[in-house]
Amino acid sequence: MSRIGKKPITIPAGVTVTVGKDNVITVKGPKGELKQTIDRDIVVEVKDGEVIINRPTDQIRHRAMHGLYRSLVANQIKGVTEGFKAEMELVGVGFKAANTGNTLDLALGYSHNIIFEIPQELKVATLTEKGQNPKIILESSDKQLLGQVAAKIRGLRKPEPYKGKGVRFVGEVVRKKAGKSAGK
């Protein structure tokens, strides 16, 4: 049995979990509503304030999906109660970030500013303090969407290995390489 898949997920107060037809799980909570389609073979039960996910057989496919869907549902429940947050920093001279509503305006050392449209489900905030790198703070109840958008922003200018300039997550460690003089 999958160690992750067999753990029941406790439903906190104020959250409702319903399993609709076609195995669509709907999670409603104080921070919004999320839906997830689950494979038709995986059985989802909601009883006694817990969500239990079972698999029909020990086929490799079913074993792989068992823990996956348990984690996805657990992330949905955590998202509608606490929410998720991603903090990113811009490291580099002249790198700036500003937002108006859900539009992010980034100056990342290119000849033009990059205007990045953030989906409506996410909240974005930018911080620029003197003596510190500009920060972008993303908040959402949907962990998958948050990670996707954060990865796209990071992909606009990945941290380079010589000086470490670029967009990175707060706390991310960038491995640095020695320059040309290392060979001499």
Side-chain angles (χ1 to χ4, degrees), residues 16-20 24-28 33-36 76:
T16 56
V17 178
T18 52
V19 182
V24 176
I25 287 192
T26 309
V27 181
K28 287 182 190 161
E33 177 183 334
L34 294 170
K35 291 181 187 234
Q36 175 71 47
Q76 283 183 309

Side-chain angles (χ1 to χ4, degrees), residues 3-38:
R3 279 185 291 186
I4 293 171
K6 67 183 174 188
K7 281 187 191 169
I9 309 161
T10 52
I11 303 170
V15 176
T16 56
V17 178
T18 52
V19 182
K21 60 179 191 332
D22 299 334
N23 247 7
V24 176
I25 287 192
T26 309
V27 181
K28 287 182 190 161
K31 292 207 173 203
E33 177 183 334
L34 294 170
K35 291 181 187 234
Q36 175 71 47
T37 306
I38 290 195

Side-chain angles (χ1 to χ4, degrees), residues 1 6 26 34-35 37 41 55 57 61 64 73 90 98 121 128 143 151 157 165-166 178:
M1 233 12 200
K6 67 183 174 188
T26 309
L34 294 170
K35 291 181 187 234
T37 306
D41 295 341
R55 63 177 187 233
T57 66
R61 187 172 152 273
V73 173
L90 281 62
E121 296 87 12
T128 309
K143 189 175 186 180
R157 187 123 201 174
K165 289 175 12 178

Side-chain angles (χ1 to χ4, degrees), residues 75-105:
N75 284 339
Q76 283 183 309
I77 291 171
K78 186 180 175 191
V80 296
T81 51
E82 303 164 31
F84 294 100
K85 188 176 181 180
E87 288 187 37
M88 307 177 86
E89 61 183 350
L90 281 62
V91 179
V93 177
F95 285 15
K96 293 184 185 95
N99 71 304
T100 47
N102 267 24
T103 307
L104 194 60
D105 189 1

Side-chain angles (χ1 to χ4, degrees), residues 50-172:
E50 289 184 330
V51 179
I52 299 157
I53 295 170
N54 294 312
R55 63 177 187 233
T57 66
D58 275 343
Q59 288 178 16
I60 292 172
R61 187 172 152 273
H62 292 155
R63 287 200 320 240
M65 285 192 253
H66 191 201
L68 166 78
Y69 284 124
R70 191 258 176 214
S71 294
L72 291 178
V73 173
N75 284 339
Q76 283 183 309
I77 291 171
K78 186 180 175 191
V80 296
T81 51
E82 303 164 31
F84 294 100
K85 188 176 181 180
E87 288 187 37
M88 307 177 86
E89 61 183 350
L90 281 62
V91 179
V93 177
F95 285 15
K96 293 184 185 95
N99 71 304
T100 47
N102 267 24
T103 307
L104 194 60
D105 189 1
L106 300 166
L108 298 175
Y110 296 117
S111 60
H112 58 283
N113 282 9
I114 297 167
I115 290 156
F116 193 86
E117 202 62 45
I118 305 277
Q120 292 297 320
E121 296 87 12
L122 267 71
K123 284 190 207 125
V124 64
T126 52
L127 274 172
T128 309
E129 293 175 14
K130 193 166 172 68
Q132 288 188 318
N133 295 325
K135 284 189 178 153
I136 303 167
I137 298 156
L138 298 167
E139 288 182 56
S140 176
S141 60
D142 190 345
K143 189 175 186 180
Q144 292 178 36
L145 182 67
L146 180 76
Q148 184 69 43
V149 171
K152 275 189 178 174
I153 292 171
R154 185 179 182 271
L156 296 172
R157 187 123 201 174
K158 285 187 180 164
E160 51 96 19
Y162 297 103
K163 286 187 178 176
K165 289 175 12 178
V167 181
R168 65 170 86 160
F169 293 101
V170 171
E172 179 182 350

Side-chain angles (χ1 to χ4, degrees), residues 161-163 175-183:
Y162 297 103
K163 286 187 178 176
R175 286 183 53 204
K176 297 219 173 109
K177 287 183 179 177
K180 288 182 183 177
S181 63

